[in-house]
Amino acid sequence: MAMVCLTDFEEYAKEHLSKATWDYYAAGADECCTRDDNLLAYKRIRLRPRVLRDVSVSDTRTTVQGTEMSFPVGIAPTAFHCLAWQEGEIATARATEALNTCYITSTYSTCSVEEIVAAAPNGYRWFQLYMYRDRKLSEQLVHRVEALGYKALVFTVDVPYTGKRRNDIRNQFRLPPHLKVKNFEGVFQETSVPEEYGIPANTLDPSVSWKDIYWLQSITHLPIIVKGILTKEDAELAVEHGVQGIIVSNHGGRQLDGGPASIDALVEIVDVVAGRIEIYVDGGIRTGSDVLKALALGAKCVFIGRPAVWGLAYKGEEGVREVLQILNDEFRLSMALAGQSDIQALVTKTEAAKIH
């Protein structure tokens, strides 16, 4: 069967992954209202197409933190890629390198950051970071990825505790014995403490606060991108604390159920930031027209999570490349049909209108 759209990859992955693995990737928190609204919110947005604008030549290139990408779609940090495909994050990194876009490597990778860099040495990569009770764990990761040439830290701020993902609890989800959270290999001693997603429970620090931005700045020269902001108040605080970017994100609906869809939160954040730093968004992007809507509403770039995993489940590196290529082709077509030939023209919200 020809893979025509991202839904085709989703259906393939659901059919071919084990139930526990599928449930882990598909999980939202509690009743999954926010997870589902991430998708529905894009369907509520309508584009205002312009005509007779000469769209015979289009340009989808953009820059993110000063680095050129071939199109404004990157891979969001998603854990445990080896559950979907044997090569896991190595395959993902190679795919993004081939298409010249950004891959945000998860702390919870089943390949180490060293293995990922060795497999795709010319790729454009950021590293996603959590804050741990033992700050040395976070500091060691920062120094490792900085030495390896990662270009930014993506500080994930919406997980003081892990959201309640009901199916993971029902399935008693655990990594199979042959897989590990490779970035922590050899770090934790054998213990009777129960595991939570591959590392000892209660390792994350719920006391994390804005002062930890300053701490991160004191130990690294890398740009700091804050991921998990959903309100204008926190966006303003992020700017005041000197970060270089914001990813508007609700963690794929996996944390607080009942919060806003990411795309719905984007508008107020773009308004308050007013161009002082770059704004990105993830959650619910499934088509090229979704990408166009996000950029028209002020995002510099979008990131996809689950669709990358579906691509892995289909054909590894080739599958991720196909997912990205489909989005790029759809985005290019949507731009043309909306009367836009250049991303730089998408500078105001007047090209999109929200239907409430």
Side-chain angles (χ1 to χ4, degrees):
M1 182 184 75
M3 306 301 271
V4 175
C5 61
L6 269 57
T7 303
D8 292 340
F9 292 88
E10 180 180 17
E11 292 172 354
Y12 181 95
K14 187 173 185 179
E15 182 178 340
H16 288 83
L17 294 173
S18 71
K19 181 181 185 301
T21 296
W22 170 259
D23 285 349
Y24 166 73
Y25 288 134
D30 299 307
E31 296 180 296
C32 299
C33 296
T34 297
R35 180 200 66 180
D36 295 345
D37 200 38
N38 272 349
L39 298 170
L40 295 171
Y42 277 97
K43 300 182 189 305
R44 295 193 291 264
I45 298 169
R46 295 293 178 266
L47 295 160
R48 299 181 62 247
R50 301 293 303 277
V51 298
L52 300 176
R53 305 257 287 197
D54 186 2
V55 291
S56 58
V57 178
S58 62
D59 186 357
T60 62
R61 291 174 300 169
T62 192
T63 59
V64 172
Q65 295 298 314
T67 296
E68 185 175 287
M69 291 168 37
S70 58
F71 59 107
V73 180
I75 302 294
T78 45
F80 308 153
H81 286 193
C82 285
L83 284 175
W85 187 259
Q86 185 174 359
E87 288 186 307
E89 290 83 4
I90 285 174
T92 308
R94 286 174 173 157
T96 52
E97 180 186 58
L99 271 69
N100 186 29
T101 189
C102 182
Y103 169 37
I104 307 177
T105 301
S106 172
T107 291
Y108 287 79
S109 296
T110 37
C111 301
S112 70
V113 286
E114 289 81 6
E115 290 169 330
I116 290 165
V117 170
N122 298 313
Y124 180 47
R125 280 176 297 272
W126 297 349
F127 181 75
Q128 177 259 340
L129 180 76
Y130 290 103
M131 197 62 67
Y132 296 100
R133 292 175 189 268
D134 180 356
R135 287 291 188 274
K136 282 293 181 186
L137 289 180
S138 300
E139 185 173 358
Q140 288 164 3
L141 284 170
V142 169
H143 291 157
R144 278 171 71 183
V145 300
E146 189 166 18
L148 286 165
Y150 280 75
K151 299 303 183 186
L153 291 178
V154 177
F155 181 28
T156 298
V157 295
D158 56 359
V159 191
Y161 300 96
T162 303
K164 183 177 180 180
R165 302 156 196 175
R166 295 176 182 179
N167 281 342
D168 285 351
I169 298 169
R170 293 186 180 106
N171 296 332
Q172 297 182 311
F173 175 83
R174 293 176 67 91
L175 280 176
H178 69 284
L179 295 181
K180 305 292 181 187
V181 181
K182 289 293 287 289
N183 292 320
F184 290 124
E185 199 165 29
V187 170
F188 298 108
Q189 303 298 319
E190 289 294 326
T191 175
S192 59
V193 174
E195 281 192 2
E196 185 176 64
Y197 297 111
I199 68 172
N202 300 316
T203 305
L204 292 169
D205 189 353
S207 76
V208 64
S209 70
W210 287 104
K211 70 178 184 295
D212 290 297
I213 300 284
Y214 294 137
W215 177 75
L216 280 176
Q217 290 166 339
S218 77
I219 65 168
T220 183
H221 297 294
L222 291 175
I224 295 170
I225 316 296
V226 176
K227 176 180 181 291
I229 285 180
L230 291 169
T231 64
K232 62 183 180 182
E233 292 86 356
D234 282 341
E236 182 60 45
L237 283 168
V239 173
E240 289 175 4
H241 283 77
V243 306
Q244 281 73 41
I246 289 169
I247 301 180
V248 180
S249 174
N250 55 35
H251 216 99
R254 295 163 73 84
Q255 284 299 106
L256 175 66
D257 200 27
S262 297
I263 192 65
D264 286 342
L266 176 65
V267 175
E268 68 176 69
I269 290 170
V270 168
D271 280 348
V272 76
V273 169
R276 288 176 288 172
I277 59 175
E278 292 183 352
I279 308 296
Y280 322 109
V281 67
D282 70 16
I285 293 115
R286 298 293 183 268
T287 68
S289 66
D290 291 343
V291 180
L292 178 59
K293 291 169 182 177
L295 267 62
L297 291 170
K300 181 75 168 174
C301 176
V302 306
F303 291 91
I304 58 169
R306 293 181 180 95
V309 174
W310 305 336
L312 279 175
Y314 176 58
K315 279 187 181 177
E317 176 188 344
E318 182 181 341
V320 179
R321 288 174 68 165
E322 285 191 42
V323 164
L324 288 168
Q325 191 62 57
I326 285 171
L327 276 178
N328 190 15
D329 292 344
E330 289 180 350
F331 173 59
R332 189 182 297 270
L333 178 60
S334 295
M335 276 183 62
L337 296 178
Q340 301 289 344
S341 59
D342 192 321
I343 284 179
Q344 304 311 314
L346 300 172
V347 294
T348 71
K349 293 181 291 183
T350 59
E351 299 298 322
K354 179 66 67 68
I355 295 178
H356 294 280

